[in-house]
Amino acid sequence: MNQTEAFYQRIEKALQNDQVRQNIRSAMNGLMQKRAEQFNDPEELSELREKARSIRHYSLAKQAELLEKLEQKLIENGIQVHWAETAQQANNIISTILKDAGAKTIVKGKSMVSEEIGLNDYLEQQQIEVLESDLGEFIIQLAKEPPSHIVAPAIHKNRQQIAKLFHHFFPELSYSEDVNELTLMARKILREKFEKADAGVSGVNFAVAETGTLCLVENEGNGRLSTTSPDLHIAITGIEKVVEKLSDIPGLLNMLTKSATGQTITTYFNMISRPRQPDEKDGPRAVHLVLLDNGRSRIRFDNDLLETLRCIRCGSCMNHCPVYVHVGGHAYGTTYPGPIGTVLEPQLAGINNIGALTSACSLCGACAEVCPVKIPLPKLINQLRAEAVNEHFSDKPVLGKGSLRKTPEVIAWSIWQKIYSNPFLYKTFSWFATSLNFLTPSKLGKWSKYRTVPKPAKKSLNQLAQENGFDYE
Amino acid sequence: MSNRDNILNRLKQNTLSEPVKIESNVSSFVWSKDEKITQLTKCITAVHGEVHHLTNIHWIDWLNQELPKRGLKQVLIGRNKVTDEYTYKADKSVTIHHYDKPIDSWKDKLFNQIDVGLTTTVGAIAKTGSLILWPDAAEPRLLSLVPPVHIALLDANTIFDTFEQAIEELEWAKNTPSNALLISGPSKTADIEQTLAYGIHGPKELIVLIIDK
Ligand code: SF4
C-alpha cells in the first residue's frame, strides 16, 4: 500500500468512529471559545502576534550564534549539553546518560520531541521503565496509543473510556467516571513514582541563550516534579527553541498560553538554570540538555519554509482546522498532526514518506489566522504540494521532491494547459462540452467516490455573455 | 566533525538579512498598589486560589486562627528570617518541620506526612496573577510543590504590573536564580474531557497572604 492509500485508509477509519469525532469536536469548540475570550481586542491581538513573530524570526536568523551562546551559558551554569543530528543519536545519548547513572526508572514530563524520536520504546527495549506523568500522556500510555493532539494528548477519549482503562490497570481502586475522582486516582498512582524515580525527562518550551535557562510551561506540576525530584534531569528540545534574551520570554509565553488553552498564564512557569548547588537541599544533581536537529537545519535553509520553525507548539492551528476536527490526530499517523504537522512532517520525514498529508487541507486559512507567530500555513502547504509533484526540481531543500508526481495527472494537466492557452482549441472544447453534456460520465474513478461529477451547463459563460450583449474579446 | 559542528555549519549556510525584533514596552502599565492587589486577587481567585489581604492582622495570627480550623497540622518551612518567627509563635496544634536537610534522606516524609508548605515570595505579577519564587538553599524547590497546601507570603510592596517589569526591576537576567518559578494557582489539569480538576500533582490549594502594613 502506498502512503496515500494508507493515509486515506486511516481517514476512513477515523470518520467511522463517531465517538472519537464527538469527543474531539466538543473539546475543540471549548478551546476555540476560550482562546477567543482571551483575545477580544483585534488591534491588540495583531500587535501581539507581530511582536511574537518578530521575536521568533529574530531567533531563527541568529540561530547558530544563539545556540553557541546557549551552550556556553549552560556549561557555565553546570548543565551538560549534547547535540544530536538524528533521532537515533538522541536516543543513544539519553540512554547512555541513564545507564552511566545507573537509572532504571524514569518519570517523564510531556515532551513532543521525545515522541518524535520514539524515546519511550527505545528505552523500554533497554529495560528502562518509563512512566509518563502528564495526566493525558499517562492515559494514552496505558492505552498504548500515540498522542492525538500536541497540547491535549488524550483529547480523543471520554471519561467513560478513561474510567474503564483505569479500572483495567488498577483494579484495586474503585471504579469511577467522575473527573475529580479519576484525577485523584492518577495523583495517588503517580506520587509514589515521583518519589522513587531515578531520573526525570522533560521537553523545553523556550531556551534562553542570554542566561542559559530552560523554560517549561505546564498546569499540573508533573513537569516540576519530573525535573526537580529525581537526582538526574535530562531535557530534550529541537534546536529551534532557542531565544536570545530573557525579556523575549513574556511576549511568547503570553501568546502560547492564550492560544493553546485560553489561559492568561499556566499554573506553573518553571525556569531551570542550574542543577542543585552545594548548599541546596533538593533539585537534580545533574542536568543535561539534548539539542535535536532531525531535519530542522535543512528546513532553515529555505527562506520560505523556515517560517515553519517559528512554531511554538500551541496547537491552535489544529483546534481551528476543519480537517483535524473531523479526522482527529491519529489519522495523520505522525507525531505532529493538524496544519503544523502537515507542514512540518513531510519536511522532516520526506515527501516520499508522508507527503500525502498535504492533500488533507482545504486551504480555508483558519490556521494562519490564529497562529500566534503568524506562520502562513496554507501558503506553505501549497508550496509543499508543488514540491511533491515538481518535475524541475526546485532549489528548495525538501526531501523526496517530485515523488508524488503521477503520469496520468501530468498528461491530464498538459492537455488542459494546451486547451486553455489556445483560443481555437478552447472554443472547440467548450462547444463539445456544452452541446454533448449529456455524455458526461456519472463516475470518474476514485474522485467521484465522495463527490458528484459536475455536468457542464448547456451554454458556456462565454455564450451567455455574448447573448447578454457583452463584447467578445 | 562532531554532530555539533555539522549542525552549526548547516545553520550558518543561510544568513538571513538583519532582522528587527520588537522589544517589550515595560512602562505600558502603571497601576497603583491597590489596583495591583485587586488585579492579582481577581486572577488568583479565578483559578481557585485563595488570597487574603492582611492589613491589620499579623500573618502568624492569621495562620494560628485558620490552620486549626482547617485541620492542617504538619507545616514545613525553610530557614528564612521571615518564617523563622513562626517556629516559636505557632499554635500548639501545629508541628513545624524545617526543610534544612538534603531531601534524599527524608523524601518519604516530605511526600507523605506534610500538610502545608509555607514559603516567602520574591514578588508577584498583577496582570497574570502570578507569584514569583526563586527557590534557594533557604527555601528549597520542592517546598512549594510537594505538600498538598502551599501558603505563600507576599509583601504588598513587591507586586509588579507585568512579567516584563519584574524581569527588568529584579535584574533577573543578571541575577539568574538556579530555579525560578511563576506560580499562578493550585495544580490543575483539563486532560479529561477538558474538564478542570484541581490538585493533580502539585498543591491542591494555594493560599496567598498579602502582607500590607
Ligand atoms: S503553527 Fe502556529 S498555531 Fe500551529 S502550533 Fe505552531 S504556533 Fe501554534
Side-chain angles (χ1 to χ4, degrees), chain A residues 150 311-318 340 367 370-373 375 377:
Chain A
I150 62 171
C311 176
I312 54 173
R313 305 278 188 269
C314 72
S316 195
C317 54
M318 53 204 78
I340 185 59
C367 50
V370 295
C371 175
V373 287
I375 302 176
L377 293 151

Side-chain angles (χ1 to χ4, degrees), chain A residues 71 83 85 133 136 159 187 191 220 224 229 244 267 269-271 273-274 281-282 293 297 300 303, chain B residues 4 6 10-11 14 21 99 103 107 142 144 146 176 178-180 182 184 187 189 191 193 201-202:
Chain A
E71 177 187 47
W83 302 72
E85 288 192 74
S133 63
R159 69 183 80 192
R187 178 182 172 105
R191 274 233 135 186
E220 297 187 1
R224 280 182 68 196
S229 180
E244 187 189 27
T267 302
F269 187 56
N270 180 9
M271 307 166 80
S273 303
R274 273 180 223 101
K281 315 290 183 297
D282 61 14
D293 183 338
S297 57
R300 192 190 167 283
N303 285 351
Chain B
R4 174 186 185 275
N6 289 338
R10 279 197 296 274
L11 295 177
N14 185 11
K21 181 165 74 184
Y99 201 144
I103 183 60
K107 234 181 200 173
L142 293 172
S144 62
V146 175
T176 317
S178 294
N179 181 212
L182 301 186
S184 312
S187 153
T189 181
D191 275 350
E193 292 189 359
H201 294 303

Side-chain angles (χ1 to χ4, degrees), chain A residues 101 117 142 156 192 223 225 243 248 314 335 350 374 387 426-427:
Chain A
I117 63 171
L142 292 179
H156 56 288
E192 198 186 324
L225 277 165
V243 297
D248 294 337
C314 72
T335 306
K374 295 172 84 170
E387 292 304 315
Y426 179 76
K427 257 191 171 165

Side-chain angles (χ1 to χ4, degrees), chain A residues 354-379:
Chain A
I354 199 75
L357 289 194
T358 58
S359 64
C361 171
S362 65
L363 299 178
C364 75
C367 50
E369 228 165 85
V370 295
C371 175
V373 287
K374 295 172 84 170
I375 302 176
L377 293 151
K379 185 183 109 189

Side-chain angles (χ1 to χ4, degrees), chain A residues 98-112:
Chain A
L98 291 169
K99 277 187 200 146
D100 288 350
K104 294 262 170 348
T105 53
I106 67 168
V107 278
K108 273 183 73 198
K110 194 171 136 18
S111 153
M112 287 310 290

Side-chain angles (χ1 to χ4, degrees), chain A residues 191-209:
Chain A
R191 274 233 135 186
E192 198 186 324
K193 303 284 182 179
F194 281 123
E195 195 189 321
K196 306 261 154 71
D198 300 320
V201 170
S202 76
V204 174
N205 291 94
F206 314 109
V208 186

